[in-house]
Every structure is written in structure tokens, then in C-alpha cells.
């Protein structure tokens, strides 16, 4: 299938701002699915609310556009009732880790077979540039006009601690790596978390004088490094990219099936 | 069987928002924005078909169409 066979062309051009990284995340995801040769009918995308969440309107799979922070709860319901389908849940940083933080850690803890993508632009894009739990100390936001004093979560460390069995990070600049990681995440049986650094030139960029979308992507190129690289040892401030965790653990739907089987046998 | 070579830069003008990501990151400086801020292939003969413009475009507005070269 060509990439355009996976989208709802009637809704294009999409609403994302010029240079918004979220469009590139969608691009890489479509390529990952194309390379897997997946049919549109095997995929369910569930999203919450946010600029990032708008992605579910543009892709021609089974799609649910639900409520802010709760996409993983809806996705859990879908997956338990139709475990043969592939669940993909793209979320904003606010969606996933502010209002949705509890759903996030518990989905990870259960190891349910869902691919969660955190489209991290370090800001609430949709509502006008409020800081999020991923903005980080010292950043500027409409709700932090004198700079933010909250420290950021490390999405990767959080996901690992919560029990996710596939955890990775990439950026909107590193599209080939991103596509490959998304592919591996979708194939992984269990809860997969892929954090993608995705520029919001309109709010994060402007508020933090980070320049254009191009400048922000240059920053992703310069400020990140492959996991365990020599550069990381020399400069600990670099952000690592790649697959941090990939391990086999009992998957939730399969475990649930065993319980059903036990219960059906009676006492 | 020859190498794949460029047939065309297929550009969906109505989808292009002129962000300049493809122009900036093209390793061969093939692309430019026109006076309406839409991308076009200004030096198509320099294109090496790496497809990085296509892969990075947030708007799915550019596609590298290739064909089989001679020899
Ligand atoms: C229950 C609820 N609370 C608050 C909102 C308002 N709201 C909409 S999107 C959003 C945050 C968007 O930020 P993020 O999740 O990072 O996505 P982005 O737009 O940056 O991609 C908020 C707070 C809402 N829609 N519903
Ligand atoms: S406000 Fe930010 S996140 Fe939302 S579409 Fe614009 S650039 Fe993207
Ligand atoms: Mg955000």
C-alpha cells in the first residue's frame, strides 16, 4: 500500500501549524505501517485531546478520538474485547503524563499489548502554550511568564520504572530511526512506549526563543545521541535516542484469557 | 537493471505550508520555496533520491518518484 492509501485525504491539508513536528510523526508512523504491510482493518488508533490527538482524524484505520488523558483507558477496553487488533495510542506530553499520568503508569504495569506514542513538544499546544510535566525547569510558557520551576519527568525512565516492556526515544529529525523504532514497537507484544521529541514552533518555540521549526530540528540533531555513545560519556547533557528496553513478559490479554478459562471450569 | 533514478518530485501544492524543513535538510540543496512559499525542485538534476524531504515533510506534500535507470 502506498502511504496515501492510509490517510483520509479529504481532511488535508491538516490543521497542524507550518513546521509542526506532529505531522512528521504521522509521516514516520505511516511508513512503519506500510513497511509492515499492515491492512487498515487490523489497526485501531485511539487518541485523547490535543494537537497531537488530532492525528486520529487523518489516518484511515479504525479510529477513536476520545477525551483528554483517557485514551489508554479506552484503548484498554478495545484491546481486551478485540485482542487480535493492533492498538496504537498517540498522545501529547500533557495528555500522556499530566492528566493521563495514572493511566499511563498502570497500562505499563499491566503490560497490555498497546503501542503508546508520546509526541513530546514540551508544552500544551492546543490550548495556547501552558507548561506541561515535560517542559522542564527554566522553560517559558504562558503559565510560567517568569520561567517554570517544575522539573520534568524523564518519559523513558518513568515508563521503564512503571513496567513497560518496550521503551524507546527518537525525534522528528531522525525519521529513519523513528520509523524503524515505531515498527519494532508495533511488533512488540506488550506495552510499548515511544517518546518522540516533536517541535511546536508556535508555542514552545516562540516562548523559548528556539527559532523556527528548522532551528528546533537542528537542536534535536545536535542535542541527542545514540544510547551509550562516546559523545554521551563526554557530554552527559545529551539526550539518548534508541531502544532502552525490549523484553518478554506475560501480556495482559493472554493472562486474562487464562483467568476466563479457569473461571469457566468452575470451582 | 540500472540504479533507481529520479522521475519527478511530486508536490501537492495545496498541502505545502512552506515550513522549509525539506529545503533546509536536503543534502544537495535541490529544493526552494517559490514566491508563494510553496516548495519546488529548483535543481532537480542534483537530486540523489535519498527521499529525506519526503520522509520529513510534516504535510505529506512531497514525494520522490523514481524509475529504473538504463545500464
Ligand atoms: C478533561 C480536560 N481537561 C482539559 C482540557 C483542555 N485541554 C485540551 S488539550 C490540552 C493539553 C494539550 O497538550 P498536549 O497533551 O501536550 O498536546 P499538544 O496539543 O501539545 O499536542 C488541554 C489541557 C480538556 N480538553 N479536557
Ligand atoms: S500549536 Fe504547536 S503542537 Fe499545535 S499544531 Fe501548532 S505547532 Fe503543532
Ligand atoms: Mg504537548
Amino acid at each position: 500500500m502506498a502511504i496515501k492509501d492510509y490517510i483520509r485525504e479529504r481532511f488535508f491539508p491538516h490543521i497542524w501549524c507550518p513546521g509542526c513536528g506532529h505531522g512528521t510523526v504521522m509521516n514516520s508512523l505511516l511508513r512503519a505501517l506500510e513497511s509492515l504491510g499492515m491492512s487498515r482493518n487490523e489497526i485501531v488508533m485511539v487518541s485523547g485531546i490535543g494537537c497531537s490527538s488530532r492525528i486520529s482524524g487523518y489516518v484511515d484505520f479504525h479510529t477513536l478520538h476520545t477525551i483528554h488523558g483517557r485514551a489508554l483507558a479506552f484503548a484498554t477496553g478495545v484491546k481486551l474485547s478485540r485482542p487480535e487488533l493492533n492498538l496504537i495510542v498517540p498522545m501529547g506530553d500533557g495528555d500522556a503524563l499530566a492528566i493521563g499520568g495514572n493511566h499511563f503508569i498502570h497500562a505499563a504495569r499491566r503490560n497490555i499489548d498497546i503501542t503508546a506514542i508520546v509526541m513530546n513538544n514540551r508544552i500544551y499546544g492546543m490550548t495556547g502554550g501552558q507548561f506541561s510535566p515535560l517542559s522542564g525547569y527554566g522553560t517559558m510558557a504562558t503559565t510560567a511568564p517568569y520561567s517554570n520551576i517544575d522539573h520534568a519527568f524523564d518519559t523513558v525512565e518513568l515508563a521503564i520504572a512503571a513496567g513497560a516492556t518496550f521503551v524507546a526515544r527518537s525525534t522528528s529529525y531522525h525519521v529513519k530511526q523513528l520509523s524503524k523504532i515505531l515498527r519494532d514497537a508495533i511488533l512488540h507484544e506488550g506495552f510499548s512506549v515511544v517518546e518522540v521529541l516533536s517541535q511546536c514552533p508556535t508555542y514552545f518555540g516562540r516562548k523559548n526563543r528556539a527559532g523556527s521549526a528548522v532551528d528546533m530540528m537542528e537542536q534535536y540533531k545536535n542535542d541527542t545521541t545514540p544510547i551509550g555513545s562516546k559523545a554521551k560519556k563526554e557530554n552527559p547533557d545529551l539526550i539518548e535516542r534508541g531502544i532502552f528496553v525490549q523484553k518478554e513478559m506475560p501480556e495482559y490479554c493472554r493472562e486474562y484469557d487464562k483467568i476466563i478459562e479457569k473461571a469457566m471450569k468452575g470451582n | 537493471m540500472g540504479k533507481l533514478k529520479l522521475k519527478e518530485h511530486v508536490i501537492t501544492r495545496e498541502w505545502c505550508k512552506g515550513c522549509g524543513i525539506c529545503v533546509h535538510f536536503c543534502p544537495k540543496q535541490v529544493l526552494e520555496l517559490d514566491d508563494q512559499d510553496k516548495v519546488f525542485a529548483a535543481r532537480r538534476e542534483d537530486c540523489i533520491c535519498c527521499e529525506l524531504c519526503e520522509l520529513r515533510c510534516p504535510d505529506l506534500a512531497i514525494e520522490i518518484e523514481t524509475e529504473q535507470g538504463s545500464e
Side-chain angles (χ1 to χ4, degrees):
Chain A
M1 292 238 299
I3 213 92
K4 287 199 173 157
D5 294 332
Y6 285 109
I7 59 173
R8 297 173 179 148
E9 284 198 46
R10 63 188 182 282
F11 297 135
F12 281 68
H14 56 55
I15 60 140
W16 291 316
C17 302
C20 174
H22 292 353
T24 305
V25 179
M26 176 173 71
N27 188 330
S28 293
L29 175 65
L30 295 174
R31 310 230 172 237
L33 295 167
E34 185 191 32
S35 77
L36 288 169
M38 269 189 183
S39 122
R40 293 173 302 172
N41 291 332
E42 313 172 67
I43 308 164
V44 186
M45 181 180 280
V46 185
S47 69
I49 298 293
C51 294
S52 35
S53 295
R54 295 295 294 254
I55 184 174
S56 64
Y58 299 122
V59 295
D60 202 15
F61 317 139
H62 302 290
T63 58
L64 279 87
H65 195 172
T66 68
I67 48 179
H68 194 38
R70 278 38 171 152
L72 283 169
F74 285 86
T76 298
V78 175
K79 183 70 186 175
L80 275 169
S81 63
R82 296 292 300 272
E84 73 280 12
L85 297 176
N86 295 287
L87 270 289
I88 301 175
V89 181
M91 296 173 283
D93 44 316
D95 199 33
L97 293 170
I99 191 168
N102 250 346
H103 293 295
F104 183 85
I105 55 176
H106 293 290
R109 179 174 63 82
R110 293 186 184 122
N111 196 35
I112 186 160
D113 186 14
I114 290 174
T115 303
I117 305 171
V118 181
M119 296 158 77
N120 178 13
N121 54 16
R122 306 177 66 191
I123 201 116
Y124 289 1
M126 176 158 274
T127 46
Q130 296 82 0
F131 64 84
S132 90
L134 295 182
S135 297
Y137 185 88
T139 52
M140 305 297 276
T142 48
T143 45
Y146 303 102
S147 98
N148 182 21
I149 57 168
D150 285 20
H151 296 278
F153 277 138
D154 180 321
T155 311
V156 163
E157 284 179 15
L158 181 70
I160 296 172
T165 50
F166 181 104
V167 181
R169 180 191 288 125
S170 191
T171 84
S172 60
Y173 171 80
H174 301 89
V175 281
K176 289 193 175 178
Q177 178 191 45
L178 175 57
S179 245
K180 168 90 179 46
I181 284 178
L182 288 170
R183 191 189 146 104
D184 291 349
I186 291 161
L187 288 176
H188 177 76
E189 198 188 331
F191 194 70
S192 312
V193 177
V194 180
E195 180 186 25
V196 191
L197 309 186
S198 171
Q199 72 279 0
C200 170
T202 302
Y203 289 108
F204 190 87
R206 269 200 220 145
K207 284 277 159 202
N208 291 282
R209 301 186 194 284
S212 65
V214 161
D215 297 326
M216 295 174 86
M217 288 170 78
E218 281 285 349
Q219 231 181 325
Y220 292 155
K221 179 170 83 178
N222 299 329
D223 295 354
T224 68
T225 185
I227 296 171
S229 71
K230 201 164 147 255
K232 174 75 182 175
K233 287 187 194 96
E234 284 158 14
N235 179 5
D237 288 343
L238 290 175
I239 300 167
E240 287 178 296
R241 287 182 282 112
I243 300 173
F244 294 80
V245 169
Q246 188 170 16
K247 62 180 180 193
E248 298 297 314
M249 292 272 282
E251 194 276 327
Y252 195 68
C253 298
R254 286 184 190 270
E255 291 301 303
Y256 200 79
D257 279 347
K258 289 187 206 159
I259 294 297
I260 293 174
E261 210 177 299
K262 260 192 209 168
M264 295 299 268
K265 279 189 192 137
N267 30 4
Chain B
M1 287 277 273
K3 278 201 334 203
L4 282 184
K5 67 177 183 50
L6 178 72
K7 192 169 162 207
E8 200 188 340
H9 291 83
V10 184
I11 291 159
T12 312
R13 279 180 65 83
E14 313 77 67
W15 294 8
C16 174
K17 295 179 185 148
C19 66
I21 289 172
C22 57
V23 174
H24 180 83
F25 290 110
C26 170
K28 294 291 173 186
Q29 287 86 46
V30 171
L31 308 168
E32 281 180 23
L33 296 183
D34 66 17
D35 54 4
Q36 288 174 53
D37 271 352
K38 303 285 181 183
V39 66
F40 74 103
R43 284 165 290 278
R44 71 182 305 281
E45 61 288 354
D46 293 341
C47 175
I48 52 169
C49 304
C50 67
E51 297 182 349
L52 284 169
C53 54
E54 176 176 336
L55 300 178
R56 288 209 180 94
C57 177
D59 295 282
L60 309 182
I62 183 164
E63 209 178 312
I64 299 297
E65 214 171 87
T66 52
E67 60 190 0
Q68 210 58 244
S70 41
E71 40 64 87

